[in-house]
Amino acid sequence: MHPSQTVNPTQKPVHPLTRRHFLKLGGLSSLGFLAALAGPNFGGKMAKAQAAQIPQLSSWQFTTVQVNETGEIIQKVCKEAPYFREPLGKDIGIDLIHIPTGTFLMGSPPTELERYDSEGPQHSVTLPDFFLSQSPITQAQWQAVMGNNPSTWQQDNLPVENVSWHDAVEFCHRLTQKTGLRYRLPSEAEWEYACRAKSSTSFYFGEKITAALGNHDEILTGIPHHKTTPVGSFPANGFGLVDMHGNLWEWCQDLWHNSYEGAPTDGSAWEIGGNPEFRILRGGSWHDLPWYSRAAQRFGKEPDSREAIAGFRIAVS
């Protein structure tokens, strides 16, 4: 999909090659490759004060899966992860999963199927631990904080969509004021690290996605959804996060850069250089073909655009 094109849910999806053409030829060239010195992690006394406010953690129990080369589930593993709930009132809350510190290889290798040049070069990134919302922000969660619901398909447990990058940042700002914790969008590196959950394949569960594993486009797969699905409809990844592959593209903090040349290696958001007209989206959507849901797939979009393909999840250090 061309980043300047608005989605009409009643129309057929745009052919995916238009996005490939745009990313390569449509002017998302980098204006520089300077790494951001200030990122999502807070230092010194601020970090200590923030850490002191994190509520006591509970244990989140879930089942994750692995698939073979045809996408058939061949293994199910029961796991648990630390998390806390941020209460929003009226029995509504946001569950935030603890993502452990670690090092991973960001991007995709040249041999990965349907790979884009913007996914390289692969580079090692080491991140401190952080918390990430278990699912994209739902309509109930959005409404509890923002007092409205802009979504196309309205249902409490569907992810909120038709929200811009600016809207997502404002949500974080209001939630910070409400709770005292400094909520924010994840950096692109944090998002991919959390999505991969220590895997190195195209998807956290293997090399192929099917209708049982994520919500993506119906043209090639015959999937009947062709709209958003309730959060948690598909298996969690190894960290306990759901909907990292498909359902909605998710806003990240970073500016668009058309490669990883000069990218930060500490997990911070890349907000220097690049193209200031675009912010990063990750994860694919109900409107996109399966390979757009790969862990390494990147997409740039105007930060004021509101479409039925884009939502977000939140992070806190």
Side-chain angles (χ1 to χ4, degrees):
M1 178 183 305
H2 195 291
S4 64
Q5 185 161 1
T6 300
V7 172
N8 180 344
T10 65
Q11 296 177 347
K12 285 189 175 182
V14 179
H15 193 281
L17 290 182
T18 56
R19 178 179 291 136
R20 182 189 296 271
H21 180 74
F22 180 86
L23 289 176
K24 290 186 175 181
L25 304 177
L28 288 183
S29 59
S30 172
L31 301 178
F33 298 103
L34 300 176
L37 298 178
N41 304 297
F42 308 103
K45 295 180 180 179
M46 179 65 74
K48 292 179 181 178
Q50 171 99 319
Q53 297 179 48
I54 296 293
Q56 184 174 353
L57 302 183
S58 301
S59 180
W60 182 273
Q61 297 182 340
F62 59 95
T63 300
T64 189
V65 302
Q66 291 293 311
V67 304
N68 60 18
E69 63 277 3
T70 67
E72 178 187 6
I73 295 175
I74 57 173
Q75 186 179 33
K76 294 183 179 181
V77 179
C78 294
K79 291 189 173 185
E80 58 184 44
Y83 82 101
F84 74 92
R85 168 162 283 206
E86 186 63 81
L88 302 178
K90 297 182 180 179
D91 296 323
I92 299 171
I94 302 174
D95 293 323
L96 290 116
I97 302 287
H98 180 249
I99 309 299
T101 186
T103 299
F104 82 114
L105 201 58
M106 186 173 182
S108 61
T111 54
E112 186 164 306
L113 293 177
E114 304 297 340
R115 177 188 190 266
Y116 292 84
D117 292 342
S118 61
E119 297 168 21
Q122 280 190 298
H123 57 291
S124 180
V125 178
T126 299
L127 306 89
D129 64 332
F130 62 100
F131 291 84
L132 190 65
S133 57
Q134 195 236 4
S135 74
I137 295 301
T138 66
Q139 294 174 31
Q141 293 164 346
W142 173 273
Q143 193 151 349
V145 174
M146 304 296 283
N148 58 48
N149 188 352
S151 303
T152 303
W153 304 282
Q154 299 211 352
Q155 183 178 311
D156 282 353
N157 63 343
L158 290 177
V160 68
E161 21 87 5
N162 282 329
V163 291
S164 69
W165 181 88
H166 294 298
D167 294 334
V169 170
E170 178 62 19
F171 178 94
C172 294
H173 175 67
R174 294 194 191 186
L175 188 58
T176 293
Q177 289 184 317
K178 182 181 178 71
T179 67
L181 288 178
R182 188 173 296 187
Y183 286 103
R184 55 180 175 78
L185 295 179
S187 71
E188 184 178 15
E190 286 177 327
W191 192 97
E192 184 172 329
Y193 174 70
C195 176
R196 290 188 178 281
K198 301 185 178 181
S199 68
S200 59
T201 46
S202 297
F203 306 93
Y204 84 81
F205 39 73
E207 296 293 350
K208 185 175 177 61
I209 190 170
T210 68
L213 299 168
N215 182 12
H216 46 272
D217 185 82
E218 66 181 3
I219 290 180
L220 295 184
T221 61
I223 293 174
H225 310 305
H226 206 56
K227 62 180 182 179
T228 56
T229 44
V231 298
S233 296
F234 304 97
N237 74 0
F239 287 153
L241 303 167
V242 297
D243 291 350
M244 298 298 285
H245 297 302
N247 215 3
L248 286 179
W249 288 99
E250 298 179 13
W251 290 110
C252 294
Q253 182 65 31
D254 308 48
L255 292 171
W256 171 266
H257 294 74
N258 65 350
S259 83
Y260 287 134
E261 292 290 346
T265 59
D266 62 355
S268 61
W270 199 2
E271 296 192 89
I272 296 178
N275 189 327
E277 301 296 323
F278 295 87
R279 292 283 177 169
I280 289 290
L281 286 158
R282 287 300 206 110
S285 81
W286 61 269
H287 185 73
D288 292 276
L289 292 165
W291 53 82
Y292 288 116
S293 299
R294 291 176 301 110
Q297 173 71 54
R298 311 169 67 227
F299 181 29
K301 187 72 178 168
E302 299 93 337
D304 59 354
S305 67
R306 295 185 177 98
E307 299 188 14
I309 59 169
F312 68 103
R313 69 181 76 212
I314 59 172
V316 64
S317 296

